[in-house]
Amino acid sequence: MSTSIKKIGVLTSGGDSPGMNAAIRSVVRACAYYKIGCVGIYRGYQGMIEGDFKEMGPRSVNNIVNKGGTILKSARSKEFMTAEGRKKAYDHLIAAEVDALVVIGGDGSFTGAEIFNNEFNFPIMGIPGTIDNDIYGTSHTLGYDTALNTVVEVIDKIRDTASSHNRLFFVEVMGRDAGHIALNAGIGAGAEEILIPEEDMGLERLLDSLRRSRESGKSSSIVVVAEGDHIGKNVFQLKEYMEENMPEYDVRVSVLGHMQRGGAPSCYDRVLASRLGVKAVESLIEGKTNFMVGILNDKVELTPLELAIKGHYEIDRDLLRVSEIMST
């Protein structure tokens, strides 16, 4: 392997997701294994602008593989969107003798990383960290599997009370632009209907579906709604519509919100983070730059950052078909 890289910086940016700490741990320990330095950058790009750095070694990441959130903290930086802000960040990296950067985050974080690389030719490797699983070039992003398990566990509990009281529950999950969480968790939890941004079901069709469920003998129903679904203005409007048109149901809404981001990462996310962190460090040592490391067909692969940002991750059409069959 090349020895031109002497020190790597690592940061987390954007929304936190379970598995970020495991990825930080992997980057730090891979650096130690290859005998190169590692610097933790606090508060994402804003910390890079302010020079909020800390040298990290194998013992500084003890006992974090099982923790949610990120020990390096995360923040969104308007200043990094300016050329002046990025120049400050670059100057701090050079002053700290940092030769390359690992960015753990989503497409917004990768966009900033690509611009930074283009301006300063600074070696960068991305690790996808977002529960939405909406980044091209990887079948799973860090935190997605954990979020799914969290959502399914909560819906299982909601179903207990729904069936006890003949209730119709609308359960809103995260997914402003993508319905991966809603679709997979809905199937896993046995939801009667799943509403996602990629498919405009329409109010009348939803109403017809729920009426058929009622006529088939179901005394309660659960509808999983991705927050980006466009059937109504919001999930509470859906509730009002159903109360008017299906008065036989006691209609309730549960917005799961940020609980989906928290909690200890699943085993899958811990292993994935470990694999991606090692690959990110090894790729930088080999002289590669401006890539994202991801998992495809259970193999760690590199995708150009530009493609990871602009590529479109299609919803699984076969899962949509399975969902329709299972709601019978």
Side-chain angles (χ1 to χ4, degrees):
M1 285 193 173
S2 169
T3 57
S4 61
I5 300 293
K6 302 295 184 183
K7 187 183 291 185
I8 291 175
V10 58
L11 63 83
T12 51
S13 175
D16 64 288
S17 63
M20 280 186 165
N21 278 329
I24 294 167
R25 173 180 178 266
S26 178
V27 170
V28 172
R29 292 195 169 174
C31 285
Y33 179 84
Y34 288 109
K35 295 180 172 54
I36 59 178
C38 188
V39 168
I41 301 169
Y42 286 85
R43 296 176 294 115
Y45 292 128
Q46 190 60 37
M48 198 158 77
I49 289 170
E50 297 172 9
D52 193 1
F53 302 166
K54 181 181 178 181
E55 298 282 343
M56 302 185 77
R59 302 290 74 80
S60 63
V61 289
N62 280 352
N63 304 317
I64 68 168
V65 70
N66 60 320
K67 297 186 183 301
T70 163
I71 63 168
L72 292 178
K73 311 297 184 184
S74 185
R76 302 186 190 277
S77 175
K78 290 185 178 179
E79 190 176 359
F80 194 75
M81 297 178 184
T82 68
E84 294 79 10
R86 294 190 292 272
K87 180 61 166 60
K88 288 181 185 177
Y90 175 75
D91 290 342
H92 279 298
L93 289 175
I94 297 304
E97 299 181 330
V98 175
D99 303 307
L101 196 62
V102 174
V103 174
I104 306 169
D107 56 359
S109 304
F110 291 166
T111 298
E114 186 186 29
I115 293 170
F116 190 77
N117 173 270
N118 290 339
E119 288 180 343
F120 301 103
N121 194 29
F122 198 87
I124 285 178
M125 200 64 55
I127 295 178
T130 168
I131 67 169
D132 290 337
N133 203 45
D134 58 351
I135 296 180
Y136 184 85
T138 184
S139 62
H140 287 72
T141 57
L142 294 184
Y144 173 59
D145 183 72
T146 304
L148 280 182
N149 291 330
T150 298
V151 171
V152 168
E153 181 180 356
V154 172
I155 295 176
D156 286 347
K157 296 178 188 299
I158 288 174
R159 185 173 291 282
D160 290 343
T161 191
S163 59
S164 297
H165 295 277
N166 294 343
R167 285 175 176 160
L168 165 61
F169 265 91
F170 287 101
V171 181
E172 184 185 89
V173 302
M174 285 185 169
R176 186 177 64 248
D177 302 309
H180 301 291
I181 291 177
L183 180 57
N184 284 269
I187 292 174
E192 277 63 43
E193 283 296 344
I194 303 167
L195 308 181
I196 58 176
E198 295 87 345
E199 293 286 307
D200 186 3
M201 186 176 190
L203 284 170
E204 288 303 318
R205 185 175 155 204
L206 173 62
L207 184 60
D208 289 343
S209 175
L210 291 174
R211 281 174 174 161
R212 287 196 302 272
S213 293
R214 184 81 173 178
E215 291 166 0
S216 71
K218 291 184 179 180
S219 60
S220 64
S221 289
I222 288 179
V223 178
V224 178
V225 185
E227 62 181 319
D229 177 69
H230 305 299
I231 285 185
K233 291 181 180 178
N234 54 55
V235 70
F236 296 99
Q237 186 189 59
L238 289 177
K239 173 182 182 293
E240 293 173 1
Y241 182 84
M242 289 303 158
E243 285 174 334
E244 292 175 3
N245 291 275
M246 294 191 75
E248 63 270 28
Y249 267 137
D250 180 8
V251 187
R252 300 295 175 92
V253 170
S254 182
V255 178
L256 302 193
H258 285 78
M259 73 169 66
Q260 296 161 86
R261 290 195 188 278
S266 65
C267 179
Y268 182 89
D269 275 328
R270 298 182 199 191
V271 174
L272 178 62
S274 300
R275 295 176 72 185
L276 298 186
V278 168
K279 182 66 172 181
V281 171
E282 290 178 341
S283 298
L284 286 169
I285 293 173
E286 291 168 358
K288 297 183 175 70
T289 182
N290 229 26
F291 287 97
M292 180 197 76
V293 291
I295 190 82
L296 292 170
N297 299 317
D298 202 34
K299 291 185 178 181
V300 180
E301 305 283 359
L302 297 181
T303 298
L305 270 183
E306 182 180 12
L307 186 57
I309 296 163
K310 297 179 180 178
H312 186 58
Y313 197 124
E314 296 284 348
I315 200 76
D316 190 328
R317 311 305 300 186
D318 190 56
L319 273 183
L320 287 172
R321 183 179 62 85
V322 169
S323 170
E324 183 177 355
I325 293 171
M326 289 300 100
S327 65
T328 303

